[in-house]
C-alpha cells in the first residue's frame, strides 16, 4: 500500500469537490497515486473511449454539496465578528448559497478571505485523506495522523 506522500492530496480534494459533471470522473492509480481523468467519449487519453471497469484505477466520486455547504455554515458560526457571521449565515439561505456566500465574503469581509481559504482547504484535505483510507489506499493510522496534524484553524 503506497504511503500518503504518493498522493496529491490537494488534487484529490478538488476531485471530491467537483460538482460540474457526472459523465466525467477523476481517477487515481492506487499503486502510484497518479491522477487521471475519464470522459465517456474520450476515455482517459481523450481519444479512445473505454469502460471504467476495464482499468485498474479508482474513481473519485464527488462528495455531496451538502458536505461543502456545512463548511460555510461552520465558518460563519465560528467567527467572532457577530455581524459578519450573521451576514454570511443569511447568505446561505436558499438557492445560490455558494455564490452569495462567496460574494458576501469577498465584497464585505475581504480580510476573512484568507482565513476562509485556509479553513476550507484544510477540511477538504482531511476529507481527501479520509477518502483514501475509506478506499483502502492508505492505512487508517496514516489517515488518523494526518487528521490530528491538520485540525481546523482558529477563527478570528
Amino acid at each position: 500500500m503506497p504511503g500518503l506522500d504518493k498522493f496529491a492530496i490537494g488534487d484529490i480534494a478538488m476531485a471530491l469537490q467537483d460538482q460540474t459533471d457526472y459523465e466525467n470522473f477523476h481517477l487515481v492509480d492506487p499503486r502510484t497515486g497518479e491522477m487521471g481523468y475519464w470522459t465517456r467519449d474520450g476515455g482517459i487519453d481523450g481519444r479512445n473511449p473505454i469502460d471504467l471497469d476495464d482499468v485498474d484505477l479508482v474513481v473519485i466520486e464527488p462528495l455531496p454539496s451538502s458536505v461543502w455547504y456545512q463548511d460555510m455554515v461552520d465558518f460563519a458560526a465560528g467567527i467572532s465578528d457577530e455581524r459578519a457571521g450573521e451576514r454570511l449565515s443569511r447568505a446561505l439561505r436558499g438557492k445560490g448559497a455558494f455564490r452569495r456566500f462567496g460574494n458576501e465574503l469577498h465584497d464585505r469581509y475581504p480580510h476573512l478571505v484568507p482565513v476562509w481559504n485556509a479553513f476550507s482547504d484544510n477540511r477538504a484535505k482531511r476529507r481527501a485523506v479520509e477518502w483514501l483510507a475509506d478506499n483502502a489506499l492508505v492505512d487508517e493510522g496514516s489517515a488518523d495522523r494526518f487528521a490530528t496534524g491538520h485540525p481546523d484553524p482558529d477563527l478570528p
Side-chain angles (χ1 to χ4, degrees):
M1 181 177 304
L4 197 52
D5 59 332
K6 301 268 190 223
F7 295 99
I9 303 302
D11 291 345
I12 293 171
M14 276 197 318
L16 290 169
Q17 291 175 312
D18 187 359
Q19 304 284 324
T20 57
D21 190 355
Y22 294 98
E23 299 275 328
N24 305 314
F25 293 101
H26 296 270
L27 310 164
V28 65
D29 185 323
R31 295 173 315 263
T32 65
E34 185 177 331
M35 298 284 294
Y37 192 70
W38 175 89
T39 65
R40 182 179 306 279
D41 297 332
I44 296 172
D45 65 4
R47 295 183 305 274
N48 300 301
I50 59 168
D51 191 294
L52 282 173
D53 293 332
D54 296 336
V55 296
D56 292 331
L57 304 173
V58 179
V59 174
I60 303 172
E61 294 190 32
L63 295 175
S65 61
S66 59
V67 169
W68 311 106
Y69 176 86
Q70 188 61 48
D71 289 348
M72 296 184 297
V73 170
D74 294 346
F75 181 80
I79 56 177
S80 61
D81 181 337
E82 277 187 45
R83 181 165 167 79
E86 287 173 14
R87 289 187 68 95
L88 290 170
S89 292
R90 202 169 330 137
L92 293 171
R93 296 184 190 135
K95 284 187 139 196
F98 286 86
R99 177 187 44 79
R100 281 193 312 277
F101 179 88
N103 288 347
E104 188 73 22
L105 188 63
H106 286 271
D107 294 347
R108 295 196 186 267
Y109 307 103
H111 65 286
L112 291 177
V113 170
V115 179
W116 163 247
N117 289 338
F119 181 84
S120 63
D121 288 350
N122 193 56
R123 283 196 169 185
K125 287 177 182 176
R126 281 201 323 256
R127 287 188 187 107
V129 172
E130 184 179 312
W131 180 88
L132 287 166
D134 289 347
N135 284 276
L137 300 177
V138 298
D139 62 86
E140 291 289 333
S142 294
D144 290 344
R145 283 188 298 280
F146 185 89
T148 300
H150 295 82
D152 283 346
D154 292 331
L155 298 178

